[in-house]
Amino acid sequence: SQTIHQWPATLVQPVGSPLSLECTVEGTSNPNLYWYRQAAGRGLQLLFYSVGIGQISSEVPQNLSASRPQDRQFILSSKKLLLSDSGFYLCAWSPRTIEAFFGQGTRLTVV
Amino acid sequence: AQTVTQSQPEMSVQEAETVTLSCTYDTSESDYYLFWYKQPPSRQMILVIRQEAYKQQNATENRFSVNFQKAAKSFSLKISDSQLGDAAMYFCAYLSGYALNFGKGTSLLVTP
């Protein structure tokens, strides 16, 4: 069966520090991969999605970037975090035209 | 990007009663998918129900059913016989091609 791993679960980072959140999927190949951000009490904002290795689509211009170095690995990064980057980050995968399956999420607090 | 609108930030329902959550979406596509996800306090996203746009029949999953009005671009969720465990944030989502876009959510409170 397919599983998705996202880590870390919680992260506290100072302003100006770098960020790297990792997401990996097991049990499937060539999935669509997604990064979402959920601010406190808000909905899910699609940040990036990827349909293949090295193929990244950005939905919202911001201080973040994403990479997909391997088929089942999706990384969310930042060179310098801002206070506004705080939030709950969710990774998801989809076997195409079917529902998305979500990781457990990372709660990021920038201080 | 396609937009998904949930006009009810909060809803309340009494246990065992029925509640309907609203969702509208904007698209020019004819082939797409619609979903309702549930997010309990654990923040794990759980799929509740799925509807393919090409299907006229409304999807049903146990106590959960949808009213899909394609021409009106409306996709509401009906929860029957509400239970305390149904209390959560509910998100409507739209998928066409690759991008899966969500509404801002409706917080459902279930009272005993």
Side-chain angles (χ1 to χ4, degrees):
Chain A
S1 63
Q2 304 91 351
T3 56
I4 179 169
H5 302 282
Q6 183 181 344
W7 68 92
T10 305
L11 191 60
V12 179
Q13 291 284 96
V15 169
S17 64
L19 172 73
S20 180
L21 302 181
E22 188 164 344
C23 173
T24 60
V25 182
E26 296 178 356
T28 187
S29 60
N30 199 26
N32 288 342
L33 296 172
Y34 305 87
W35 277 112
Y36 289 90
R37 177 169 59 200
Q38 185 177 25
R42 303 283 298 277
L44 275 70
Q45 180 185 36
L46 178 61
L47 301 176
F48 302 95
Y49 67 90
S50 172
V51 301
I53 296 174
Q55 300 180 61
I56 308 296
S57 296
S58 174
E59 289 292 299
V60 181
Q62 59 214 320
N63 185 41
L64 302 169
S65 62
S67 62
R68 184 171 178 174
Q70 301 180 42
D71 181 44
R72 290 170 289 178
Q73 184 185 28
F74 205 24
I75 298 172
L76 182 69
S77 304
S78 173
K79 292 182 179 179
K80 289 185 178 181
L81 284 168
L82 305 172
L83 288 175
S84 58
D85 292 324
S86 293
F88 188 66
Y89 289 83
L90 283 160
C91 178
W93 76 275
S94 171
R96 306 184 189 274
T97 69
I98 306 178
E99 71 268 19
F101 300 92
F102 286 81
Q104 296 290 326
T106 297
R107 184 181 304 277
L108 172 66
T109 304
V110 183
V111 296
Chain B
Q2 314 297 344
T3 57
V4 179
T5 302
Q6 293 179 248
S7 59
Q8 307 154 314
E10 294 180 355
M11 291 285 286
S12 180
V13 63
Q14 201 162 10
E15 202 174 2
E17 296 298 310
T18 295
V19 64
T20 299
L21 308 184
S22 302
C23 173
T24 60
Y25 57 95
D26 180 29
T27 184
S28 58
E29 302 291 332
S30 59
D31 187 20
Y32 52 88
Y33 294 78
L34 296 164
F35 309 89
W36 278 98
Y37 278 86
K38 170 184 177 181
Q39 187 182 42
S42 68
R43 305 199 80 166
Q44 176 67 47
M45 294 289 287
I46 302 166
L47 177 70
V48 174
I49 200 164
R50 174 180 72 222
Q51 174 80 43
E52 292 88 344
Y54 64 85
K55 290 186 177 179
Q56 293 185 336
Q57 186 174 5
N58 290 323
T60 299
E61 288 288 344
N62 301 314
R63 298 183 294 107
F64 299 88
S65 61
V66 299
N67 183 4
F68 174 48
Q69 301 291 326
K70 191 171 184 178
K73 298 178 184 176
S74 171
F75 183 60
S76 61
L77 174 69
K78 185 171 80 172
I79 306 174
S80 304
D81 186 25
S82 297
Q83 301 175 0
L84 294 177
D86 294 334
M89 282 289 290
Y90 286 82
F91 293 97
C92 178
Y94 167 97
L95 173 67
S96 177
Y98 306 119
L100 178 61
N101 288 289
F102 286 80
K104 292 188 176 182
T106 296
S107 178
L108 179 65
L109 174 66
V110 182
T111 57

